[in-house]
Amino acid sequence: MAHFFDPGCVAEPFLTLCAEYPDAEVYPSSQFRVEWGPIFHRGRLDGSARVLVIGQDPAQHETIVRRTLVGEAGRRVQGLLAKLGMTRSYVFINTYLYSVYGSVKAKTRKDVRLLGYRNRWMDALLVDQKVEAVLALGQAADEAWKFWKATPAGQSTSLAYAAVTHPTQPESFSKGEKAKLQLATKKLLQNWSLALQTLAPAISHPDTPTPLVPYGETWAEGDRIGIPDYDFPAGLPSWMHEQDGWARRVGADDVGKRRNITITVPKGVVQ
Amino acid sequence: MAHFFDPGCVAEPFLTLCAEYPDAEVYPSSQFRVEWGPIFHRGRLDGSARVLVIGQDPAQHETIVRRTLVGEAGRRVQGLLAKLGMTRSYVFINTYLYSVYGSVKAKTRKDVRLLGYRNRWMDALLVDQKVEAVLALGQAADEAWKFWKATPAGQSTSLAYAAVTHPTQPESFSKGEKAKLQLATKKLLQNWSLALQTLAPAISHPDTPTPLVPYGETWAEGDRIGIPDYDFPAGLPSWMHEQDGWARRVGADDVGKRRNITITVPKGVVQ
């Protein structure tokens, strides 16, 4: 039985990009979890991508898997891509290479070294490539897009674009209040339906041509889709593909938590 | 600044080998930690390897890094390779793809599916390739070599070969008894010096031509060498390269420990 996987950065310009990333000098350790290393991407780096998704920053599951948006937020975006007929020909990058710790200062956000490196990824993925549409998740990702659009390469490139509410914004906004969560989810799904209308006409080469069906008022069956095996590195166990919740930051205090990732194999996997 | 890395399985036949690995049907979960997925290799898969090292089975650091022999045992072997002038042109594989849990039954060790898959790796690395010498670490690795040598491909291939005592055998054998450890280390280093004499004459293309210096009676400075950055996957933080002890199996009982890997960033990394 074949276990599909993503070989990752295997060719230029991505080999060089994965070697020349900015570190704590550009991403201060007071604002980012640089101690876990950068997380670059998820999806196709072989030139076959038709949609670019700009995420925000990777969290603990992404740190172990070394791919971005592999948890609940990723499954929601995977569902959005599927509504556009995109089941394989996409690529995700991060606004920030490292998980945000606290908040990001304006000076950092606009550091030319941070922008310059991110723009090299966007050049590599968007200039004279097959990408037809770009999706930004959240405000920082939207800003990343605008910074790139202001470059000469960005100005000379015409692509369908939508910025949407971050996929787990309803959860972080509502902080466990059920009514707030329902309302925020409804608003997110309206926002995502608008994005579908913007992007769908631009996608001329879907993997699986699909009639456009907007979201309802709550998450419906099929709106959240598992991350495909072919987005994970070789050899990772299937439980890392199928769910999240298996990686936590555990510690007695903030520094202790920051220094820790605890992985627990889900129940039932070990006999 | 460039952060060197190993892109991993990027070309055939390794892309297929990394997709078609045997799972719990061949490696029973009562004998192996299959729940963490297979660990395939460390080092060069691009045809440049001149030495093949056959290790035994990967442990918890290897599980996170997804490369084999990245801890203390690996540093000792790295030192042996350096004595042979090999600083880059080597490749490691595992006798077993998964960490051994308890002990391996004879029936499992000789399972034709287990042997067949491992032999495909050895065929890929040894038949009509540049490898000039093979080093086996421990008895299981020696057996793996003999099984391969009994195949038609093995019979028609002539390569220098040495089987040595496993690099951390002195520690596991002496169980904290200092005198026992000293004696076992001395014996290991004698054994390793003999292997150097067997292998060195066969290595016609060292990375760094080096006069052959045998081991002393204890580990000397330079006998243990850090795993090079270019053996690790892209983006892993440097503390994962430099030391081990950052990954432990923590739990209240055997099953709890088996389901857990706890990663702790070393002191001083997080400011």
Side-chain angles (χ1 to χ4, degrees):
Chain A
M1 191 191 117
H3 304 263
F4 298 108
F5 67 96
D6 162 40
C9 290
V10 304
E12 293 297 356
F14 303 105
L15 285 170
T16 298
L17 283 168
C18 287
E20 294 186 348
Y21 58 85
D23 52 25
E25 212 183 301
V26 175
Y27 282 94
S29 69
S30 56
Q31 298 165 49
F32 296 96
R33 300 178 191 270
V34 283
E35 62 273 14
W36 295 98
I39 316 292
F40 302 107
H41 90 295
R42 174 160 71 83
R44 311 290 81 72
L45 294 179
D46 60 358
S48 68
R50 297 284 181 179
V51 176
L52 167 66
V53 180
I54 311 172
Q56 181 164 314
D57 64 312
Q60 67 268 35
H61 293 88
E62 286 75 13
T63 297
I64 302 302
V65 168
R66 311 309 295 191
R67 294 291 186 272
T68 199
L69 282 156
V70 295
E72 177 59 20
R75 280 190 288 277
R76 293 179 184 181
V77 181
Q78 212 67 31
L80 186 152
L81 290 170
K83 281 180 178 284
L84 294 170
M86 306 312 298
T87 53
R88 185 180 188 112
S89 303
Y90 52 77
V91 61
F92 292 66
I93 59 169
N94 286 313
T95 298
Y96 302 121
L97 289 175
Y98 305 91
S99 180
V100 171
Y101 188 74
S103 61
V104 183
K105 293 189 176 163
K107 192 183 159 195
T108 306
R109 267 171 39 219
K110 296 177 182 176
D111 187 320
V112 291
R113 297 168 295 179
L114 190 155
L115 301 189
Y117 178 77
R118 192 172 60 209
N119 287 342
R120 284 168 66 191
W121 272 89
M122 293 174 74
D123 289 349
L125 292 167
L126 298 178
V127 178
D128 300 327
Q129 296 296 309
K130 292 183 181 166
V131 168
E132 299 169 335
V134 177
L135 176 72
L137 310 177
Q139 287 176 8
D142 186 33
E143 189 182 74
W145 167 256
K146 285 172 180 155
F147 276 124
W148 181 76
K149 276 301 285 179
T151 66
Q155 283 167 13
S156 62
T157 305
S158 176
L159 287 165
Y161 173 73
V164 294
T165 307
H166 191 276
T168 52
Q169 182 273 345
E171 281 74 11
S172 47
F173 169 76
S174 61
K175 295 193 172 82
E177 282 189 47
K178 207 176 165 185
K180 266 194 169 179
L181 177 63
Q182 275 185 351
L183 188 60
T185 299
K186 183 178 163 183
K187 283 175 71 179
L188 174 136
L189 295 173
Q190 286 171 344
N191 171 269
W192 283 29
S193 289
L194 284 174
L196 289 176
Q197 287 176 28
T198 304
L199 300 181
I203 295 174
S204 313
H205 301 80
D207 296 313
T208 309
T210 308
L212 191 63
V213 179
Y215 289 95
E217 300 201 343
T218 59
W219 295 108
E221 196 166 326
D223 285 352
R224 297 157 60 253
I225 292 184
I227 318 296
D229 292 340
Y230 46 73
D231 281 8
F232 290 82
L236 291 195
S238 53
W239 52 266
M240 285 193 182
H241 299 201
E242 288 160 10
Q243 51 194 319
D244 47 9
W246 47 262
R248 291 173 305 138
R249 304 191 194 273
V250 178
D253 54 23
D254 285 349
V255 174
K257 277 184 194 165
R258 186 166 173 174
R259 287 177 55 203
N260 178 275
I261 292 181
T262 295
I263 309 173
T264 307
V265 179
K267 281 197 172 146
V269 173
V270 178
Q271 303 304 325
Chain B
M1 190 191 117
H3 304 262
F4 298 108
F5 67 94
D6 162 40
C9 290
V10 304
E12 293 297 355
F14 303 105
L15 285 170
T16 298
L17 283 168
C18 288
E20 294 186 348
Y21 58 84
D23 51 24
E25 212 182 300
V26 175
Y27 282 94
S29 68
S30 56
Q31 298 164 51
F32 296 95
R33 300 178 191 269
V34 283
E35 60 273 14
W36 295 97
I39 317 292
F40 301 107
H41 89 295
R42 174 161 70 83
R44 312 288 81 73
L45 294 180
D46 60 359
S48 68
R50 296 284 181 178
V51 176
L52 167 66
V53 180
I54 311 172
Q56 182 164 312
D57 63 312
Q60 67 268 33
H61 293 87
E62 287 74 13
T63 297
I64 302 302
V65 168
R66 310 310 295 190
R67 294 292 185 272
T68 198
L69 282 155
V70 295
E72 177 58 21
R75 280 190 289 277
R76 294 178 184 183
V77 181
Q78 212 67 31
L80 186 152
L81 290 171
K83 281 180 179 283
L84 294 170
M86 306 312 298
T87 54
R88 186 179 186 110
S89 303
Y90 52 76
V91 62
F92 292 68
I93 59 169
N94 287 314
T95 297
Y96 302 121
L97 290 175
Y98 306 91
S99 179
V100 171
Y101 188 76
S103 61
V104 183
K105 294 190 175 162
K107 191 183 158 195
T108 305
R109 267 171 39 220
K110 298 178 182 175
D111 187 320
V112 291
R113 297 168 297 178
L114 190 156
L115 302 189
Y117 178 78
R118 191 172 61 209
N119 287 341
R120 284 169 65 192
W121 272 89
M122 294 175 74
D123 289 349
L125 293 167
L126 299 177
V127 178
D128 300 326
Q129 297 295 310
K130 292 182 181 167
V131 169
E132 299 169 333
V134 178
L135 176 70
L137 310 177
Q139 288 177 8
D142 185 35
E143 189 182 75
W145 168 257
K146 285 172 180 154
F147 276 124
W148 182 75
K149 277 300 286 178
T151 66
Q155 284 167 13
S156 62
T157 305
S158 176
L159 287 165
Y161 172 74
V164 292
T165 307
H166 191 276
T168 51
Q169 182 273 345
E171 281 73 11
S172 48
F173 168 75
S174 61
K175 295 194 172 81
E177 284 189 46
K178 208 176 164 186
K180 265 194 170 179
L181 177 63
Q182 275 185 351
L183 187 62
T185 298
K186 184 177 163 183
K187 283 176 69 177
L188 174 136
L189 295 173
Q190 287 172 342
N191 171 269
W192 283 28
S193 289
L194 284 174
L196 288 176
Q197 286 176 31
T198 304
L199 301 181
I203 295 176
S204 315
H205 301 81
D207 297 312
T208 309
T210 308
L212 191 63
V213 179
Y215 289 95
E217 298 200 344
T218 59
W219 294 108
E221 197 165 323
D223 284 352
R224 297 158 59 253
I225 292 184
I227 318 297
D229 293 340
Y230 46 72
D231 280 9
F232 289 82
L236 291 195
S238 54
W239 53 265
M240 285 192 182
H241 298 199
E242 289 159 10
Q243 52 193 317
D244 48 8
W246 48 261
R248 292 174 304 139
R249 303 191 196 273
V250 179
D253 54 23
D254 285 349
V255 174
K257 279 184 193 163
R258 186 167 173 172
R259 287 177 54 204
N260 178 276
I261 292 181
T262 295
I263 308 173
T264 308
V265 178
K267 280 196 173 147
V269 173
V270 177
Q271 303 304 323

